[in-house]
Structures are given as structure tokens and as C-alpha cells.
Amino acid sequence: MGEIEREDASRLPAVDGLRGFAALFVIILHLTMQVEPRTYPALAVKDLFSLGWTGVDLFFVLSGFLITGLLASAKGSSNYFRVFYARRMLRILPLYYAALIVLFTFPRLVTLPHNFVLSFRDQAWFWFYIQNYHWLGSIFAGWTGHLWSLAIEEQFYLVWPLVILLATRKQALWVCAGCVALSVVYRAYGLNSVPRHDTYYVTQARLDGLAIGSAIALLVTQQGWLVRLRRYAPTALTGAILLFVAARLRIPGHHYVLAPLEY
């Protein structure tokens, strides 16, 4: 193959719409987290909007889908790695590192109600995109808490191009299945053995969304995929609804029934 195809040549308006919904879910979640409801209707609304955490998972699914689609279409090109990483760097790194400079220097220049100054040792985790393994505590959550998902994305970008290049489609699908299983098993293990942030923010706990999106991208490149999708869509939708209902059920004195899947 020749040059890697332009990203906007395969742009999907529906995916942009899903991105918008995912961002809206997360914004609504964080807004309602600040509200203490005093009536049952308000409590019901807050409980409904608490599902906004799914927006982050939707972002991961979309990211896996888009990135895997680009890599699969570029497989075999002479500039496979160079073009992919150049585009990722130009899209993300300038804005990200500019934000870090502001976050880490501004608190040293002004007096704030709380001590938001980070040591250089703590900052290093952010500069190398591994901050999702370094929990800073609630004081810094409002300043840097949202950056954990970017770390997972960058770690995914570092490894996944090699997987798509070396593996056949079938092998890559098995890798996706393994990543989903790994995340679910890790979260199940971590429910009672590690702090909650270690079952939510770390990469091995959040691979399933990226893997599911990647698997979808690999499947839709197969001939006749739309026919198979229509055939299995009702069953998949029914199963998803049943899982969602089960995830909201509680056993007295325990976690949600399907907490390992829900987190």
C-alpha cells in the first residue's frame, strides 16, 4: 500500500455525534456530583445522571474503533509507524504539554486556598504519560484528575500499532478478547483487595473499552459484516439490556452484582 489514508477521508459523522454524547455524559455527571438532592425526584435525576461515567467508556470504545480502523487500512504501507505517530503527536502533545506547564507553574506564582504545588517527582508521572498509576489524592483531582484517561490512550497508541502490524485479523480479535477478559478479571480481583482508584484508573483495568472498539473495527472490514450485524444485533441488544439491569442490582451488604463489569 502507499501513503496512509487521510483521516478525514474516512470520517464518520455518526461517530462525531457519539463523541458529543460521551462528552455530554461526563459533563452532566460532574455537574450533578456537586448537587445534594433534597427530594425524591431530584435524587432520581441524580441517580440517572450518575450513569454519566459511561461516557468515558464510550470514548475508549470510539478511540479503539477509529485507531484500529486507521491502522488496518494503513497496514503494509512503508510509512505505517511514522505517519501514525506523527499525527498523534501533532494532535495531542502540544496542547497537553502546554496544559501541564500552566498546571504546574501557575500554583507556584500565586497564593491559593490549598497547596496545589506538585513536587517535580510527582510531575514526572504526567510528563511521561503514566499518571494513571500515581494517585495524588482528592486535593489535586480538580486540577489533574481528568488526565488519567489520556495516559491510557497514549499507552494504547504505543503498543497497538505493533499488534495490528504483526497479527492477522483473527489473531488481533483474540488479543481483543484477551484484553476484555484481563480487565474484567482484574477488576473482579481488585474489588476487595486494592483501592478503588486502582480498579478504575490503571490501564489493565480499562482495556476492555479499547479492545471492544478495536474488535468492532476489525469485524466491519470483513465481507458480509453488515448482514451478520443485522442478524445478531437483536440478541446483542437484549443481552446488553439484561447486563445493564443486573449491574444496577445490589445484594444487601455487598457491591453491585456486576460491579466488575460496571466499573
Side-chain angles (χ1 to χ4, degrees):
M1 297 179 64
E3 293 284 322
I4 292 180
E5 295 178 4
R6 291 174 60 236
E7 292 188 26
D8 54 359
S10 57
R11 195 178 187 93
L12 301 173
V15 173
D16 289 337
L18 287 173
R19 278 173 167 168
F21 278 116
L24 185 61
F25 291 163
V26 175
I27 291 172
I28 290 176
L29 170 65
H30 283 276
L31 287 175
T32 54
M33 285 173 61
Q34 312 304 317
V35 177
E36 291 297 332
R38 299 179 181 274
T39 63
Y40 285 111
L43 183 62
V45 170
K46 181 172 182 176
D47 189 55
L48 176 63
F49 287 155
S50 69
L51 297 175
W53 63 265
T54 59
V56 176
D57 293 86
L58 180 54
F59 267 121
F60 284 143
V61 172
L62 293 174
S63 180
F65 175 78
L66 294 170
I67 293 302
T68 302
L70 288 172
L71 292 171
S73 67
K75 188 173 181 178
S77 63
S78 59
N79 55 3
Y80 175 83
F81 287 108
R82 185 172 67 252
V83 173
F84 175 78
Y85 285 118
R87 283 177 170 163
R88 301 275 74 76
M89 291 172 65
L90 291 174
R91 278 174 173 264
I92 299 171
L93 298 190
L95 184 59
Y96 174 75
Y97 284 124
L100 288 191
I101 291 172
V102 173
L103 284 171
F104 295 152
T105 59
F106 181 73
R108 296 177 180 273
L109 302 177
V110 299
T111 302
L112 298 170
H114 301 284
N115 180 20
F116 290 107
V117 177
L118 277 183
S119 68
F120 293 111
R121 184 175 182 178
D122 286 327
Q123 291 181 26
W125 296 81
F126 291 85
W127 293 109
F128 291 100
Y129 270 110
I130 51 175
Q131 64 267 23
N132 59 319
Y133 287 95
H134 188 59
W135 179 246
L136 293 174
S138 58
I139 291 180
F140 296 95
W143 288 73
T144 62
H146 57 289
L147 298 177
W148 66 272
S149 60
L150 284 177
I152 292 178
E153 294 263 355
E154 290 301 302
Q155 293 161 25
F156 173 67
Y157 296 158
L158 189 64
V159 175
W160 199 243
L162 189 61
V163 174
I164 297 300
L165 180 65
L166 297 179
T168 64
R169 180 189 290 114
K170 186 175 181 179
Q171 290 171 338
L173 285 170
W174 277 111
V175 173
C176 290
C179 288
V180 172
L182 171 64
S183 291
V184 174
V185 169
Y186 179 83
R187 292 198 299 268
Y189 161 78
L191 278 178
N192 297 309
S193 58
V194 299
R196 183 178 181 276
H197 56 262
D198 284 342
T199 60
Y200 189 85
Y201 298 114
V202 295
T203 304
Q204 65 268 27
R206 305 308 297 266
L207 288 174
D208 46 349
L210 291 164
I212 289 171
S214 299
I216 294 172
L218 292 168
L219 290 172
V220 299
T221 59
Q222 292 181 321
Q223 188 175 8
W225 69 270
L226 189 57
V227 174
R228 287 192 292 272
L229 178 63
R230 287 172 176 169
R231 183 188 308 163
Y232 295 113
T235 303
L237 179 61
T238 301
I241 292 174
L242 291 175
L243 281 173
F244 175 79
V245 172
R248 304 308 296 173
L249 297 177
R250 278 183 181 273
I251 296 177
H254 294 77
H255 293 284
Y256 284 113
V257 174
L258 293 182
L261 296 177
E262 182 178 350
Y263 288 161

